[in-house]
Amino acid sequence: MPEKQHGPAPVTVVARFQLTDRHKQDTAAFEEAFDGYREYMTTQHGFLRTSLLRSPDHPDRHVIVTEWRDNSAYKAAVMVPDFLLLTAAGLMELADLVNDHGPVLAAAGAEPGAGAGDGVGQYCVVTSHEPGEATEEELLARLDAASRREGFVSGSVIASDRREGGRVSLVRLRDAEAAKAGAGPDDELYEVIAEASMEGAASRAA
């Protein structure tokens, strides 16, 4: 079973977006807005990786998952006018933020992810767990079982900072077939359609 991390935990921000009725067909525009978000994030101290996910069944639904070295780095990047007025505004003009849990702190089970671009075309299963639904130990046991499935890439169980006892499970798999094979009725399936990492940004700058 993955071991729980100690010390300052990396922060995983899970932001769910639903295109508004007015912009329901503007998937390409939202993805272009993500390009600006990605460009900004890759210049920020403590940034690790960001991924844009899109539902194959509901193209107007997206999830942005962004990983940070720690909570201080995350707050320093997003609590500034450049982010709030420019980067975030481009996304919010097109879609509503529909998070229940808010930004979430990685609790345990995080595995190293793919480098920039390597994860495009993979699939991510996103599952929200209500307070009291399952303990962290139970969710880690499920993650341990998922890690032995064919096509498993990485996974984590992360705790909500907004709803005490609420958690989100993220499991990344190699392809749609592997993702659907183990998906349950409460799991949400998304394709990774864009990605950037700290390592990839450093490589481009070199």
Side-chain angles (χ1 to χ4, degrees):
M1 180 181 298
E3 295 183 0
K4 186 170 182 175
Q5 299 179 3
H6 299 281
V11 169
T12 303
V13 182
V14 181
R16 300 168 184 262
F17 291 92
Q18 172 85 44
L19 292 176
T20 64
D21 289 341
R22 179 182 178 185
H23 298 288
K24 204 170 185 66
Q25 305 303 320
D26 292 344
T27 298
F30 185 85
E31 293 166 14
E32 288 176 9
F34 174 79
D35 289 340
Y37 173 93
R38 175 174 53 185
E39 183 177 350
Y40 172 81
M41 291 304 177
T42 56
T43 67
Q44 300 305 299
H45 184 66
F47 165 82
L48 298 177
R49 182 173 72 167
T50 187
S51 304
L52 176 62
L53 317 177
R54 182 179 63 205
S55 169
D57 298 320
H58 305 280
D60 58 328
R61 299 179 188 175
H62 295 77
V63 175
I64 297 177
V65 179
T66 307
E67 300 166 27
W68 297 90
R69 181 196 60 209
D70 53 39
N71 201 29
S72 296
Y74 159 66
K75 288 184 176 179
V78 302
M79 300 302 291
V80 295
D82 280 353
F83 176 77
L84 298 172
L85 299 178
L86 300 175
T87 306
L91 299 169
M92 300 302 291
E93 286 178 2
L94 300 167
D96 293 323
L97 186 62
V98 292
N99 277 15
D100 289 328
H101 293 284
V104 286
L105 301 179
E111 297 288 342
D118 291 346
V120 173
Q122 294 178 352
Y123 281 74
C124 192
V125 178
V126 182
T127 312
S128 294
H129 308 284
E130 295 300 318
E133 179 180 312
T135 66
E136 182 178 283
E137 289 72 21
E138 290 170 335
L139 294 177
L140 287 173
R142 295 180 195 175
L143 176 59
D144 184 55
S147 70
R148 293 192 289 271
R149 290 196 344 238
E150 181 70 24
F152 176 85
V153 175
S154 64
S156 59
V157 175
I158 46 186
S160 173
D161 73 344
R162 184 174 296 171
R163 303 180 68 186
E164 184 176 356
R167 294 179 174 85
V168 177
S169 297
L170 297 176
V171 178
R172 184 179 288 225
L173 298 118
R174 184 183 57 213
D175 52 40
E177 183 178 355
K180 292 177 180 178
D186 297 326
D187 297 333
E188 299 178 50
L189 182 65
Y190 293 88
E191 183 180 4
V192 181
I193 59 173
E195 195 160 65
S197 71
M198 176 182 64
E199 292 83 357
S203 299
R204 292 192 298 272

